[in-house]
């Protein structure tokens, strides 16, 4: 596995985290959870716990220098090295990818079919999305298949030729477009309504469910607990400053989340959108974005194509990071070529993705709904509320208690020392596990309550 350059590792990890986690999932979760309380908890968790978890995962990969499972084994000084069970976290990436690619397929449809005939009112925007999910399922299947095929192609090319080259171009472009959208949104009448919704903090609306979802959003948006960070860090340079790398992933990601929320809610509220009328808020991006660009007339069509193209490929930087850990494991320890491993994992994702796709359609939703949740939602819950917290918990316990302290001091001497190392180790050993375990058990109890 060829190594990333230093900037290539940061951009690949940032690309993995930004994708739709910050742009698609953050706004709809903020809408679902009532806005400001969710936003505040997400920011706190990402800065405090997320950064410490990223460093822990990066250490495992950067010093283990192998696939996810064998990174743990390589760093365990005990003779038994029973770390095969961590292989469960390799299932998280393909599971997330199965429904993530469905959303990207919908973006592909909007790019080619909606960009040139933008709706100019809320009812028309909602009708377009409803028609896609009922009358145009074949378009969804086509878009999903193209996204998955493109993901497989890039992964089959490897780290340097595929993953790094894509991110070097797309990440700066994404930031430029988003900052431009924020400037435009700031001059709209509903901008301050969006600001109040996201930042007018009301402590009384904090509930255990809001806390759970904020933690799940942190895992999803930072690509934690599914082996992505470990796999990418294994391909990074051994003298990489992991603290700076973690901050370069967390801070720009948070900025994109907040910008996406402000832009989308500005136009959603500006067109008299009512959150209480939207039982499925996962569609907020698809409802709001076309309305934004319709404001610009013919120029808006060009801007819409440019934005959706960037969003699509930013999403694909995440899909390749979800596919790579499983592919690399099959290559490293099961004798597969990169192309063969990519094909078989992609085939499994395709089968799961079709179930997720059909479960969102009103035509099939009833047959593919269990305990009042469709398969798309169950895949989301299992991956973000079970597998990802489990993977993160295993990583921090391993780094905090299995790797000897003197080795950790050696591993982190170039970027953590003295009180900064002591604070990080305390958070990893005692704060992170307690928070994750407590919220994980509550989430499981709530998910399977009915």
């Amino acid at each position: 596995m060829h190594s990333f350059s230093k900037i290539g590792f940061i951009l690949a990890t940032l690309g993995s985290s930004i994708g739709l986690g910050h742009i698609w999932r953050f706004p709809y979760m903020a809408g679902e959870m009532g806005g400001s309380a969710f936003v505040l908890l997400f920011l706190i968790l990402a800065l405090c716990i997320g950064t410490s978890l990223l460093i822990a995962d990066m250490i495992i990969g950067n010093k283990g220098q192998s696939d996810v499972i064998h990174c743990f084994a390589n760093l365990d000084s005990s003779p038994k090295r029973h770390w095969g069970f961590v292989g469960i976290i390799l299932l998280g990436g393909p599971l997330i990818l199965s429904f993530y690619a469905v959303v990207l397929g919908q973006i592909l449809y909007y790019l080619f079919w909606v960009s040139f005939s933008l709706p100019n009112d809320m009812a028309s925007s909602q009708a377009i999305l409803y028609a896609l999910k009922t009358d145009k399922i074949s378009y969804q299947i086509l878009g999903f298949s193209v996204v998955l095929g493109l993901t497989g192609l890039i992964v089959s090319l490897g780290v340097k030729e595929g993953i790094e080259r894509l991110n070097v171009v797309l990440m700066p472009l994404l930031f430029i477009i988003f900052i431009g959208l924020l400037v435009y949104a700031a001059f709209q009448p509903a901008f301050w309504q969006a600001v109040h919704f996201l930042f007018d903090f009301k402590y009384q609306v904090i509930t255990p469910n809001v806390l759970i979802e904020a933690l799940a959003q942190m895992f999803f948006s930072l690509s934690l607990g599914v082996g992505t960070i470990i796999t990418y860090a294994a391909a990074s340079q051994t003298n990489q400053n992991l603290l700076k790398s973690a901050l370069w992933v967390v801070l720009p990601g948070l900025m994109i989340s907040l910008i996406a929320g402000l832009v989308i809610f500005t136009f959603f509220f500006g067109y008299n959108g009512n959150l209480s009328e939207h039982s499925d808020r996962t569609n907020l991006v698809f409802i709001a974005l076309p309305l934004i660009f319709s404001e610009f007339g013919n120029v808006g069509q060009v801007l819409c194509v440019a934005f959706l193209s960037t969003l699509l490929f930013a999403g694909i930087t995440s899909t390749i990071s979800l596919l790579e850990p499983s592919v690399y494991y099959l290559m490293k320890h099961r004798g597969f070529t990169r192309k063969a491993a990519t094909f078989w994992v992609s085939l499994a994702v395709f089968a799961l993705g079709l179930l997720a796709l059909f479960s969102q359609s009103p035509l099939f939703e009833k047959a593919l709904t269990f305990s009042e949740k469709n398969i798309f939602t169950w895949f989301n819950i299992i991956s973000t509320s079970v597998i990802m917290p489990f993977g993160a918990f295993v990583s921090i316990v391993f780094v905090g208690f299995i790797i000897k302290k003197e080795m950790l001091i050696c591993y982190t001497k170039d970027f953590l020392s003295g009180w900064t190392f002591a604070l990080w180790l305390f958070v990893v050993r005692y704060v992170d596990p307690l928070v994750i375990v407590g919220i994980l058990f509550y989430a499981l109890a709530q998910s399977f309550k009915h």
Side-chain angles (χ1 to χ4, degrees):
M1 190 177 188
H2 300 292
S3 295
F4 286 116
S5 64
K6 287 187 177 182
I7 187 64
F9 168 65
I10 293 172
L11 288 174
T13 309
L14 183 60
S16 166
S17 70
I18 282 185
L20 296 187
H22 289 291
I23 300 169
W24 163 69
R25 198 176 192 275
F26 174 80
Y28 95 69
M29 287 309 305
E32 186 80 33
M33 295 293 112
S36 59
F38 171 83
V39 172
L40 180 64
L41 289 173
F42 168 64
L43 293 176
I44 293 172
L45 288 170
L47 288 169
C48 299
I49 294 180
T51 303
S52 64
L53 289 171
L54 274 173
I55 293 173
D57 267 3
M58 288 177 179
I59 288 173
I60 294 171
N62 190 251
K63 305 307 176 184
Q65 291 292 302
S66 188
D67 63 280
V68 171
I69 297 174
H70 290 84
C71 275
F72 282 86
N74 292 345
L75 296 177
D76 185 4
S77 58
S78 67
K80 294 183 179 180
R81 299 186 179 185
H82 294 315
W83 289 100
F85 70 91
V86 301
I88 190 174
I89 70 178
L90 290 175
L91 301 177
L95 192 61
I96 294 172
L97 179 55
S98 67
F99 66 84
Y100 199 96
V102 170
V103 179
L104 285 175
Q106 294 169 350
I107 289 175
L108 196 62
Y109 172 80
Y110 271 69
L111 173 62
F112 287 104
W113 279 277
V114 180
S115 294
F116 303 100
S117 183
L118 294 169
N120 53 18
D121 59 74
M122 184 68 69
S124 299
S125 188
Q126 291 171 332
I128 289 172
L129 185 63
Y130 182 79
L132 174 62
K133 292 190 174 186
T134 53
D135 302 329
K136 299 181 178 180
I137 294 179
S138 59
Y139 286 83
Q140 285 202 80
I141 296 173
L142 176 61
F144 165 69
S145 302
V146 169
V147 167
L148 196 55
L150 185 57
T151 299
L153 175 63
I154 296 169
V155 170
S156 69
L157 293 174
V159 168
K160 292 290 288 186
E161 294 301 316
I163 299 172
E164 180 172 334
R165 184 171 294 181
L166 184 71
N167 281 287
V168 166
V169 175
L170 293 177
M171 284 301 100
L173 182 60
L174 183 70
F175 275 90
I176 292 171
I177 291 176
F178 259 78
I179 290 172
L181 284 173
L182 177 64
V183 171
Y184 180 76
F187 290 94
Q188 303 305 306
F191 178 74
W192 288 108
Q193 187 179 354
V195 170
H196 286 301
F197 177 72
L198 291 175
F199 301 109
D200 188 10
F201 177 66
K202 297 180 177 63
Y203 71 90
Q204 61 267 29
V205 300
I206 293 180
T207 65
N209 192 45
V210 173
L211 183 58
I212 289 166
E213 295 300 342
L215 186 68
Q217 176 62 26
M218 181 200 75
F219 286 127
F220 195 94
S221 62
L222 297 180
S223 298
L224 292 166
V226 290
T228 295
I229 306 300
I230 294 174
T231 302
Y232 277 7
S236 67
Q237 298 183 14
T238 54
N239 62 344
Q240 191 90 21
N241 185 319
L242 301 183
L243 174 59
K244 285 185 178 179
S245 298
L247 291 175
W248 272 111
V249 172
V250 173
L251 296 178
L254 293 180
M255 184 173 76
I256 283 289
S257 283
L258 297 177
I259 292 175
L262 286 170
V263 169
I264 287 169
F265 283 112
T266 292
F267 287 89
F268 184 78
F269 293 140
Y271 281 88
N272 299 314
N274 188 340
L275 288 171
S276 63
E277 296 176 358
H278 292 267
S279 59
D280 184 5
R281 299 183 181 92
T282 62
N283 299 319
L284 278 176
V285 169
F286 296 108
I287 293 170
L289 283 177
L291 296 175
I292 295 173
F293 294 110
S294 69
E295 292 270 317
F296 295 92
N298 292 333
V299 176
Q301 295 179 355
V302 177
L303 293 174
C304 188
V305 169
F307 177 80
L308 289 176
S309 298
T310 306
L311 180 58
L312 176 68
F313 285 103
I316 288 176
T317 62
S318 296
T319 64
I320 59 180
S321 74
L322 295 168
L323 195 61
E324 177 65 18
S326 300
V327 168
Y328 187 54
Y329 171 77
L330 292 177
M331 290 168 51
K332 189 82 173 175
H333 293 283
R334 290 294 181 263
F336 285 74
T337 64
R338 176 170 280 275
K339 287 182 172 58
T342 302
F343 172 78
W344 288 110
V345 178
S346 298
L347 186 62
V349 171
F350 181 77
L352 293 171
L354 287 180
L355 291 175
L357 188 157
F358 286 126
S359 75
Q360 278 201 311
S361 168
L363 300 175
F364 304 98
E365 186 175 18
K366 186 175 180 180
L368 296 173
T369 295
F370 309 95
S371 298
E372 300 181 355
K373 297 179 179 68
N374 62 30
I375 287 180
F376 185 100
T377 303
W378 273 117
F379 284 177
N380 194 345
I381 290 172
I382 292 170
S383 56
T384 60
S385 297
V386 180
I387 294 178
M388 297 181 95
F390 171 79
F393 180 76
V394 170
S395 293
I396 56 178
V397 169
F398 182 81
V399 170
F401 296 99
I402 304 300
I403 298 178
K404 293 182 179 179
K405 185 177 179 179
E406 54 267 27
M407 292 304 299
L408 281 179
I409 292 173
C410 180
Y411 292 155
T412 61
K413 63 182 180 181
D414 294 331
F415 54 90
L416 290 174
S417 60
W419 72 268
T420 57
F421 174 82
L423 177 61
W424 170 76
L425 187 59
F426 176 81
V427 172
V428 166
R429 281 183 170 179
Y430 305 110
V431 178
D432 292 352
L434 288 174
V435 171
I436 293 173
V437 169
I439 294 178
L440 176 59
F441 275 108
Y442 185 89
L444 283 171
Q446 293 297 111
S447 296
F448 296 98
K449 188 174 182 180
H450 303 292

